[in-house]
Structure formats: C-alpha cells, structure tokens
C-alpha cells in the first residue's frame, strides 16, 4: 500500500505538501496539486484509518448548519438527525454550530454563513436558497478549504460536494400519479407552494406538471405561494376556493398544509376534494385521520440530518470526495391506513 512519503518522493515535494492536497487545505500550486492527485490515483492510495481517527481527534472539527424552518415542524426531525450524529462524533472532538433562520431571505442566509466562518468552521451543511449569491458563497467556502453539503433542497451551479434529500422532481411526479389514481373524471387542481427561490418547491411542481400530458384529466387552475406559513395558507386557500368553485383537488408542494386544510373545512369543500401533501408532521397526521388529506409523501428527514455530517467528516478526514453526488432519500407514500 502506498504511503504519503512515497507519494511525496514521486512528486518531488514534501510530505506536508501532500498532506495539504489530500486534506484540501489549499496553499499548493495547481500544477503540483494535479500531479500529486494523479500519483495518488495511480497508486490507489487509501489513508490509514487509525491515523484518520487520531488526526480527527487533534483537529477538533467544527460543522456549521444553516437551515430555514422556524415554525415548520418538519425540520425538527432533521435537527434530531444532526444531534444524533453530533453525539456520535463527539468522541472525535467534533462540534456543531446551528443557525436556524425564520425567513426565506438570501441576506439572512449569507449573514448566517458569515457568522459561521467567523467561528472558524471546517465544513458547512445548508438547506440553501436557490440564488446566485448563495452559490458564490459556497464557491468561496470551497476555495477556502471549507466543503459544503446541501440537504433537503439543492442549489444550481455551485461547488457543493454533495446533496442529501429527496428527488423532488420524482416526488412531484409521484404526487401527480397519486392524484390520478385517487380521482375520476375531470380533476381541477389548485397548487399551494412555499417559495419560488427554494429549488425543491419549484421542482416538485415541475415534476407534477410533467405528468399532465399523460394524465390529461388533471388540470391546474390556480397557484399561490405561502412561505410555509399556515396563516397565509389559510387566507389564500380560502380565496382560491372562493374564486374557483370548480377546484376538486389540492396539491401542497411545501409547508402551510394545516392552514390550507383548515380553509377547506371552513369553506365546506371537503366532499369530493382530494388533497396530496408532503411529510408526516403531527398536523398532517391529524388531517389524514380526519379524512381531509388523501395521501402524503415522506422524505426521511432524520437521514437529511445524519448523512450530511457523515459526508463532511469523511471528506475532511480522508480527503476523498463523496461516493455519490446525489444522495436521495426514499420516496415513501403514506395514507390513513399506514400513517
């Protein structure tokens, strides 16, 4: 098995230079880095696990977590996953710093990331706004030797090293398929989403729409965003149902489900109404047991907390990229009978 010393001799550099390249710590000429990586690959170099453990204990890694979702109970299970992994990694002197913000604003996320940089984090896990400013910030972190893993929702065109969460386009297709199976005749659908700057919200809707030609009895008649807020969802769902008496199905692509369902009940529109949602939070379970929600699609929130930290830890300790870029959670369908 190849050693760092052998790699250094072949590359004509010091062992410290090899160590900086393998551990993504920068400060190495790009040509030298490329040469070292080529030699490492040719020799099939694998870091010594015992050495990894000792090195990790000395480094005292700090992981920063940035997530929205104050008031959205779905993220409570994600946080539980982070805490479980934090306890597991405590023996390696790893700590976790949380920044949980209430708004969907880009400025809030940038401020949260900057505050974590000031605390000298080694890696970042984030449920990002899908905005170029966030992508640029992730790229800056990468150049600083701070890797990023996205979870729950992804971001286009950034140097994040991996994504953990559902295949949201497929989830949207699944919602359309469920709607088709659970209805008959012409189905007039109202869509309620969270925020167009969140990629998972827009992709779920795109997946749903991709099935409309196949399921030509499904018709989208109205749409609004609620920022995952139950009060906004209630008011706007009331307006939607008042303005469109033909609506006989609702697709909730994000949060605010409880408020929307309350509006359906207040409008006395439950008869023949089919409602498809996401996630198995307490209020959704309540509405399923009351036969308000027809089905909900779950996305293993605890894994969305566990796996990002595992990926970051392995990357920082071994220098090896994740085995998979897209780490999709299972698409789980829940109805009243199996909730």
């Amino acid at each position: 098995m190849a050693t760092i010393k052998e790699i250094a001799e072949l590359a004509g550099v010091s062992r410290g230079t090899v160590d900086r390249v393998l551990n993504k710590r920068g400060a190495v000429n790009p040509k030298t880095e490329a040469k070292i990586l080529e030699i490492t690959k040719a020799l099939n170099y694998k870091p010594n696990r015992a050495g990894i453990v000792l090195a990790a204990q000395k480094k005292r890694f700090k992981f920063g977590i940035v997530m929205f979702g104050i008031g959205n109970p779905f993220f409570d299970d994600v946080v539980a996953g982070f805490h479980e992994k934090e306890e597991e990694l405590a023996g390696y002197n790893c700590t976790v710093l949380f920044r949980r913000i209430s708004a969907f604003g880009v400025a809030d996320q940038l401020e949260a990331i900057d505050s974590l940089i000031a605390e000298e984090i080694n890696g970042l896990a984030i449920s990002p706004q899908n905005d170029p400013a966030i992508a640029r910030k992730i790229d800056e972190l990468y150049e600083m030797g701070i890797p990023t893993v996205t979870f729950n929702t992804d971001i286009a065109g950034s140097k994040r090293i991996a994504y953990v969460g559902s295949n949201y386009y497929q989830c949207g297709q699944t919602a359309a398929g469920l709607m088709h199976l659970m209805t008959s005749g012409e189905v007039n659908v109202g869509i309620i989403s969270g925020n167009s700057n969140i990629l998972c919200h827009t992709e779920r809707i795109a997946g749903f729409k991709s099935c409309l030609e196949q399921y030509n009895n499904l018709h989208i008649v109205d749409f609004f965003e609620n920022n995952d807020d139950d009060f906004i969802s209630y008011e706007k769902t009331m307006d939607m149902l008042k303005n469109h008496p033909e609506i006989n199905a609702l697709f909730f692509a994000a949060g605010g489900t409880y408020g929307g369902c309350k509006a359906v009940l207040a409008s006395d529109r439950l008869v023949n109404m089919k409602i498809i949602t996401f996630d198995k939070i307490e209020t959704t379970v309540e509405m399923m047991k009351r036969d308000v929600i027809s089905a909900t699609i779950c996305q293993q929130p605890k894994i969305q907390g566990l796996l990002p930290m595992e990926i970051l830890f392995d990357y920082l300790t071994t220098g090896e990229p994740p085995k998979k870029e897209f780490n999709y959670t299972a698409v789980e369908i829940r109805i009243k009978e199996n909730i």
Side-chain angles (χ1 to χ4, degrees):
M1 181 181 293
T3 66
I4 288 179
K5 180 181 178 182
E6 290 170 335
I7 295 170
E9 288 175 351
L10 288 170
V13 299
S14 68
R15 281 180 286 182
T17 300
V18 175
D19 181 72
R20 285 198 299 276
V21 170
L22 295 180
N23 290 286
K24 309 289 183 181
R25 288 200 291 269
V28 178
N29 182 283
K31 289 184 179 180
T32 302
E33 180 179 3
K35 184 177 181 180
I36 290 170
L37 292 175
E38 183 180 352
I39 293 170
T40 300
K41 184 178 180 180
L43 296 179
N44 194 28
Y45 170 76
K46 300 293 181 185
N48 180 274
R49 281 285 161 186
I52 287 171
V53 171
L54 290 173
Q57 289 174 329
K58 293 177 181 178
K59 289 176 181 176
R60 297 181 178 273
F61 289 128
K62 287 183 184 178
F63 298 106
I65 313 296
V66 176
M67 56 195 299
F68 39 73
I70 290 178
N72 185 344
F74 165 80
F75 286 99
D76 294 342
D77 287 333
V78 180
V79 171
F82 278 118
H83 282 313
E84 184 175 318
K85 197 66 181 180
E86 180 182 18
E87 289 180 12
E88 181 184 329
L89 295 177
Y92 298 97
N93 290 322
C94 295
T95 56
V96 179
L97 306 175
F98 283 92
R99 297 291 187 273
R100 192 170 179 182
I101 57 180
S102 58
F104 284 109
V106 172
D108 293 328
Q109 285 209 327
L110 292 172
E111 182 179 345
I113 295 169
D114 285 337
S115 74
L116 290 168
I117 294 172
E119 298 239 24
E120 299 183 341
I121 59 168
N122 303 100
L124 175 71
I126 183 172
S127 49
Q129 291 274 349
N130 188 33
D131 186 275
I134 302 296
R136 288 193 295 270
K137 180 62 70 172
I138 290 172
D139 291 352
E140 288 175 22
L141 290 173
Y142 183 83
E143 298 304 324
M144 294 167 61
I146 303 173
T148 297
V149 173
T150 55
F151 66 93
N152 184 253
T153 185
D154 206 0
I155 186 168
S158 75
K159 292 181 179 178
R160 60 99 177 102
I161 63 171
Y163 161 71
V164 178
S166 64
N167 182 332
Y168 21 72
Y169 190 85
Q170 184 186 60
C171 286
Q173 292 178 314
T174 301
L178 285 170
M179 191 81 76
H180 175 72
L181 289 171
M182 291 182 164
T183 57
S184 59
E186 297 302 302
V187 183
N188 298 304
V189 184
I191 294 180
I192 298 96
S193 187
N195 189 289
S196 58
N197 285 334
I198 306 301
L199 191 60
C200 68
H201 298 179
T202 57
E203 284 294 283
R204 284 170 180 164
I205 295 169
F208 188 94
K209 288 180 176 179
S210 74
C211 295
L212 295 184
E213 186 174 345
Q214 177 184 358
Y215 305 135
N216 54 23
N217 65 317
L218 301 183
H219 312 285
I220 297 172
V221 299
D222 204 355
F223 165 84
F224 71 80
E225 295 180 353
N226 61 20
N227 285 331
D228 284 355
D229 185 290
D230 280 311
F231 294 101
I232 296 173
S233 193
Y234 178 87
E235 301 253 348
K236 291 195 172 184
T237 302
M238 289 286 284
D239 290 341
M240 177 187 282
L241 295 175
K242 180 181 178 180
N243 295 331
H244 296 281
E246 75 275 19
I247 285 179
N248 55 3
L250 295 175
F251 171 41
F252 287 87
T257 300
Y258 191 64
C261 288
K262 283 284 192 179
V264 172
L265 292 171
S267 301
D268 197 25
R269 292 283 295 275
L270 185 58
V271 177
N272 298 322
M273 180 74 70
K274 295 298 180 183
I275 299 177
I276 306 296
T277 69
F278 284 93
D279 306 321
K280 193 181 70 172
I281 60 175
E282 185 177 342
T283 52
T284 296
V285 172
E286 174 194 333
M287 287 297 173
M288 293 186 79
K289 289 180 176 178
R290 293 175 63 180
D291 293 315
V292 179
I293 294 174
S294 307
T296 194
I297 301 167
C298 303
Q299 50 177 325
Q300 298 182 301
K302 198 170 185 181
I303 290 177
Q304 295 186 30
L306 286 165
L307 193 51
M309 283 183 59
E310 183 176 312
I311 291 171
L312 286 170
F313 181 77
D314 288 347
Y315 181 82
L316 288 167
T317 52
T318 68
E320 295 179 358
K323 293 179 181 178
K324 292 189 294 184
E325 178 183 359
F326 296 97
N327 299 268
Y328 290 131
T329 53
V331 178
E332 299 178 338
I333 298 169
R334 293 285 183 264
I335 56 176
K336 178 183 175 181
E337 287 73 19
N338 71 349
I339 195 66

